Amino acid sequence: MLTEPHDAPTPLIWPRPSDAGASNDWTTFQAEIVPLLEARGFGMRELGRPLGHPLWLARRSGRAAQVRLLIATGFHGEEPAGPWGLLDFLRSLPQTLLERLDLSLLPLVNVSGFSRGLRLNARGENPNRGYGPHRGGDRPSIEGELLLAHGAELLAAARDGLLCAHEDHGPDATYVYSFEPTAEPGAFSRSLIATAARYFPVAPDGEIDGCTVRGGLIHNQHDGSFESWLVASGVPVAACVETPSRRDFGCRVAAQAALMLDFVAQRSL
Ligand code: NI
């Protein structure tokens, strides 16, 4: 969710564990996620093809679905632990929990950035800026325009909560942008940072990108991000989780999967 000074001038790419290719391997990512979503009962469709790549929305409504949740990953192309973590989450999510969810997924928003290991899309646009009432002078990216055009559907999909998976190459620590309808972070936010803390040191109190961090949380920070837009539109709780991309890639993927599991488990109680 970061601001432009964090743009990587060169690609950031990591080997995947067990010699399974590289973190920017879009062909392998497609080959793994398409059958996995099908096997777990998700319907999947393209919202469009920005810059020639599919922007997918997947959805599954369980037999006992009580809560509607949205998980979104891959806004920034040099933050690949989110998309790969989503695969691990989908493989490990208990069926009993899945049946309690009406779960929607944006599995990889910025394919042209992901496949090059670069933050921005192939047009040099930031897919996590330009949304909603706090966008300032930023214009949406081509992916953002597509998501904005599906705003009502995405808002309905995130009726009971939103999780966005990001990474940060700056701080060598984890932190979370948390959104709750209370002035102070509540149990939802504290559980997510506690989960992240099982994998990485938590960012010390202070400032990141001009935002105040306390207890690893940047709370109710409204900017022109996707998550800020949906919260401003009525989503009750949301989080943008940040894993430290200077750390081991496999550990980051595991952390992202654990954060997704924590998110759906908390919201389905
Ligand atoms: Ni990011």
Side-chain angles (χ1 to χ4, degrees):
M1 167 158 169
L2 301 172
T3 48
E4 299 309 313
H6 286 264
D7 290 350
T10 53
L12 293 177
I13 294 166
W14 294 267
R16 291 177 61 213
S18 312
D19 223 13
S23 63
N24 66 328
D25 186 343
W26 161 235
T27 302
T28 299
F29 184 80
Q30 287 179 91
E32 293 189 19
I33 197 163
V34 171
L36 181 55
L37 286 169
E38 190 176 337
R40 299 237 60 183
F42 283 82
M44 192 170 167
R45 73 178 216 273
E46 285 184 12
L47 296 184
R49 293 187 69 84
L51 303 173
H53 301 290
L55 203 170
W56 291 317
L57 177 64
R59 183 176 177 187
R60 183 191 193 280
S61 189
R63 281 192 294 272
Q66 303 272 341
V67 291
R68 280 194 207 156
L69 302 174
L70 174 63
I71 297 175
T73 91
F75 284 88
H76 292 139
E78 93 291 30
E79 303 175 6
W84 294 107
L86 180 66
L87 290 179
D88 282 6
F89 163 75
L90 287 168
R91 291 189 184 104
S92 61
L93 180 62
Q95 187 69 24
T96 50
L97 182 48
L98 185 58
E99 293 299 344
R100 299 210 299 272
L101 306 173
D102 182 336
L103 180 59
S104 295
L105 310 170
L106 289 165
L108 210 179
V109 169
N110 173 13
V111 177
S112 70
F114 176 88
S115 61
R116 296 175 306 136
L118 290 171
R119 178 177 188 77
L120 305 179
N121 71 14
R123 278 189 182 173
E125 299 167 333
N126 184 342
N128 202 32
R129 279 294 179 271
Y131 298 91
H134 304 94
R135 65 184 174 277
D138 291 335
R139 296 181 58 80
S141 68
I142 189 170
E143 298 84 4
E145 286 175 356
L146 198 52
L147 297 175
L148 285 160
H150 292 83
E153 183 177 3
L154 294 169
L155 183 60
R159 184 190 69 189
D160 300 309
L162 168 69
L163 184 73
C164 297
H166 282 253
E167 300 202 271
D168 191 349
H169 204 65
D172 188 22
T174 187
Y175 63 99
V176 173
Y177 292 86
S178 57
F179 297 86
E180 296 190 65
T182 48
E184 295 297 322
F188 170 74
S189 307
R190 292 199 306 269
S191 178
L192 288 172
I193 195 65
T195 295
R198 297 190 342 237
Y199 297 85
F200 306 110
V202 172
D205 289 1
E207 276 204 357
I208 294 176
D209 293 325
C211 303
T212 301
V213 188
R214 278 191 298 153
L217 300 172
I218 297 171
H219 192 57
N220 289 344
Q221 173 68 34
H222 279 286
D223 48 25
S225 67
F226 178 78
E227 50 274 16
S228 170
W229 165 50
L230 286 187
V231 170
S233 304
V235 169
V237 298
C240 164
V241 298
E242 301 270 359
T243 49
S245 59
R246 288 194 255 161
R247 296 274 168 149
D248 173 76
F249 184 65
C251 188
R252 288 150 46 202
V253 170
Q256 291 284 355
L259 286 158
M260 292 171 196
L261 182 61
D262 181 13
F263 169 67
V264 300
Q266 283 200 68
R267 297 306 291 163
S268 65
L269 288 176

